[in-house]
Amino acid sequence: MSALDALPHGPEFRFVDSLVELDGGKSARGRYTVRGDEAFLAGHFPGNPVMPGVILVEAIAQLGGVAAQSDPEQAEVEGLLLTGIRGAKILGAAVPGEVLEISAVVEGRLGPMIQVAGEVKVGDRVLATAKVQLAGRTPP
């Protein structure tokens, strides 16, 4: 099973297609290709589809979850969810056909709470940066 298979999201809401690099518990780099057939693009915006900035931040959270849950020295956190977003900046937009390059670094952990910093780029263009908090519950 791939580390991406551990994401709780269904395929329709998964914004990391592949892992480029994974340092379990510390960081990850991944990619997502904006296909153009994603349901949210139909209304954002008709005739000029643009990937919503909030989904760029969601991609950071998903990849951060993969990095955190792959820690060889920590048990997986049950029910891990995105619980906070700080300092998010949407600096650009992605369109169909572009490949997002996502990076996430686990900055800290306190039990089942995890802080992640990340960014999304297309080539040299930074599209989004954010710090996200993930939290769940410690397994019994």
Side-chain angles (χ1 to χ4, degrees), residues 7 16 51 56 63 105 107 123 129:
L7 283 171
V16 182
M51 186 136 182
L56 299 175
L63 186 62
V105 175
E107 292 190 322
T129 62

Side-chain angles (χ1 to χ4, degrees), residues 18-138:
S18 62
L19 287 174
V20 175
E21 183 179 304
L22 178 62
D23 186 358
K26 297 179 182 161
S27 65
R29 289 187 318 116
R31 290 195 178 114
Y32 177 79
T33 300
V34 183
R35 300 179 315 274
D37 64 350
E38 294 91 344
F40 55 81
L41 288 178
H44 197 265
F45 296 94
N48 184 30
V50 175
M51 186 136 182
V54 70
I55 293 182
L56 299 175
V57 175
E58 173 68 21
I60 292 169
Q62 289 183 11
L63 186 62
V66 169
Q69 295 286 58
S70 299
D71 191 329
E73 298 176 16
Q74 299 270 346
E76 284 192 12
V77 176
E78 291 182 0
L80 190 64
L81 299 171
L82 173 60
T83 57
I85 300 170
R86 289 190 307 114
K89 293 182 183 176
I90 309 303
L91 305 166
V95 298
E98 290 187 314
V99 178
L100 306 180
E101 300 168 27
I102 310 150
S103 62
V105 175
V106 176
E107 292 190 322
R109 290 183 84 124
L110 181 58
M113 298 180 293
I114 302 161
Q115 181 168 301
V116 173
E119 79 174 5
V120 180
K121 296 169 68 173
V122 171
D124 292 336
R125 292 184 299 131
V126 177
L127 303 183
T129 62
K131 289 193 180 209
V132 297
Q133 286 74 49
L134 308 172
R137 57 192 174 279
T138 306

